[in-house]
Amino acid sequence: MRGGATVVRGGIRMSGLTFRPTRGRWITHLSRPRSQGSTGLFVPPSPPLDPVKIKELQRFISLSKKLLVMTGAGISTESGIPDYSAPVRQRYWARNFVGWPQFSSHQPNPAHWALSNWEKIGKLHWLVTQNVDALHSKAGNQRLTELHGCMHRVLCLNCGEQTARRVLQDRFQALNPSWSAEAQGVAPDGDVFLTEEQVRSFQVPCCDRCGGPLKPDVVFFGDTVNPDKVDFVHQRVKEADSLLVVGSSLQVYSGYRFILTAREMKLPIAILNIGPTRSDDLACLKLDSRCGELLPLIDPQRQHSDVQRLAMDFPLNPAAKDP
């Protein structure tokens, strides 16, 4: 088949590597200490790094020539961003105004920097993220699709004018010079939790260009991803020879659909996520580790010329077997 992966009896061969089904699974109830400080507040417990699993992921990456990576909330929790919420106009902007300084200050963690390095050396064919935090952009990724948009951009619903979110913060302050509120918690999109009384007096600016209402350039729950963007990502998947999921349970269909496309293309799929995902049964490799601990250990330029075959956990879908 295309992309260097071939279906063989009992498994999939990829550039001299054969993935075969096994019964082994990671034990996910083992715990390890969380990192100190706010960056560890939202990261669930995970097993200690397993040297064998590290080697398996290293081989998976080394044998990938056109790797597509999909990331989710789990890659950003190690940067101090929790896992989602959404609301209505005045309430949303009042809460977002309070939470923005903290949200916008978050920085990429070692997992983001690792993926940025993979792109620079040509290992990463394309990166698709379900996150709206701009951390991949901050890390320097350019071959990037932000599937659900980005909180660092604001759109006018009337004319489509795009504004940087940091510019809007100054307009909020000018319209609400005496307004103040204390954040009672923070959400992944910069939203915080305020009382109705606090929200009632908050003034929201309109579009500078046409006076229309403004919204963050993101897809909220219940909205649909732009069809052109979906088609674009499908094409990138079809160009790839393997797919790595990082920090996503794939519960939302907007991301899961691309896993189904990868399965149809018979691409090897690896998943790095603490806890079960919607696609564990489609993966040839599943790792329950912290993204920021594991990805920096992988050398994307390392070659495995001495490796001819490797048995991995690959529960084959019946449709993928030879007739």
Side-chain angles (χ1 to χ4, degrees):
M1 63 168 287
R2 64 181 303 287
T6 307
V7 178
V8 297
R9 188 167 299 281
I12 282 184
R13 179 175 296 133
M14 172 183 166
S15 301
L17 175 64
T18 300
F19 300 94
R20 296 190 183 281
T22 68
R23 295 179 178 274
R25 281 287 180 191
W26 267 51
I27 299 173
T28 59
H29 65 268
L30 298 177
S31 63
R32 63 179 291 131
R34 296 181 179 180
S35 62
Q36 297 298 314
S38 62
T39 58
L41 291 176
F42 311 109
V43 184
S46 61
L49 291 175
D50 183 334
V52 173
K53 290 288 185 177
I54 295 174
K55 288 181 180 179
E56 290 178 352
L57 181 59
Q58 175 67 70
R59 289 165 178 163
F60 181 93
I61 298 302
S62 294
L63 291 165
S64 300
K65 304 305 178 186
K66 299 188 73 174
L67 175 68
L68 185 137
V69 175
M70 177 178 293
T71 67
I75 194 174
S76 293
T77 53
E78 295 172 45
S79 288
I81 296 178
D83 268 325
Y84 201 102
S85 109
V88 258
R89 198 159 167 261
Q90 184 189 39
R91 181 183 299 110
Y92 175 82
W93 282 122
R95 292 155 62 160
N96 186 268
F97 170 71
V98 176
W100 179 252
Q102 179 180 343
F103 176 81
S104 60
S105 69
H106 291 296
Q107 296 299 315
N109 64 57
H112 296 98
W113 292 115
L115 293 178
S116 177
N117 181 54
W118 292 10
E119 178 182 314
K120 289 175 182 176
I121 65 174
K123 172 60 66 174
L124 179 65
H125 175 58
W126 204 262
L127 175 60
V128 180
T129 185
Q130 301 170 86
N131 299 335
V132 297
D133 50 36
L135 292 183
H136 286 300
S137 294
K138 287 183 179 181
N141 280 105
Q142 296 183 351
R143 298 179 67 82
L144 169 69
T145 296
E146 294 168 321
L147 191 62
H148 297 150
C150 180
M151 285 301 303
H152 288 248
R153 298 187 299 269
V154 177
L155 293 178
C156 172
L157 292 177
N158 282 357
C159 70
E161 177 80 351
Q162 187 178 105
T163 306
R165 176 62 183 81
R166 57 180 170 74
V167 173
L168 193 62
Q169 190 74 359
D170 294 335
R171 295 184 61 198
F172 280 132
Q173 291 173 337
L175 281 175
N176 300 275
S178 60
W179 189 89
S180 64
E182 183 179 348
Q184 302 298 319
V186 63
D189 56 1
D191 188 16
V192 297
F193 308 104
L194 303 176
T195 66
E196 290 297 324
E197 185 178 352
Q198 290 173 312
V199 169
R200 200 171 297 122
S201 62
F202 188 76
Q203 300 298 308
V204 179
C206 297
C207 174
D208 264 345
R209 182 179 177 183
C210 74
L214 302 175
K215 77 175 287 286
D217 184 16
V218 299
V219 177
F220 288 118
F221 285 122
D223 293 343
T224 57
V225 179
N226 184 295
D228 291 338
K229 184 179 289 188
V230 173
D231 291 342
F232 179 86
V233 175
H234 275 305
Q235 187 58 41
R236 302 291 81 75
V237 174
K238 292 174 181 178
E239 294 169 353
D241 66 356
S242 57
L243 190 150
L244 171 64
V245 177
V246 178
S248 176
S249 64
L250 301 169
Q251 294 302 317
V252 179
Y253 182 74
S254 60
Y256 176 67
R257 69 178 119 201
F258 302 116
I259 307 301
L260 298 180
T261 299
R263 182 189 64 175
E264 292 172 3
M265 300 296 298
K266 299 181 174 62
L267 302 183
I269 299 170
I271 299 176
L272 169 57
N273 186 70
I274 300 175
T277 80
R278 191 176 181 178
S279 299
D280 284 358
D281 61 330
L282 304 179
C284 63
L285 177 62
K286 172 64 167 65
L287 304 103
D288 290 80
S289 301
R290 294 177 66 138
C291 307
E293 288 185 353
L294 180 52
L295 291 187
L297 299 178
I298 303 302
D299 179 358
Q301 293 180 303
R302 185 176 177 183
Q303 300 298 318
H304 283 275
S305 57
D306 58 324
V307 177
Q308 298 300 317
R309 300 170 73 86
L310 173 68
M312 285 186 177
D313 183 15
F314 189 81
L316 274 178
N317 183 286
K321 293 183 180 178
D322 283 347

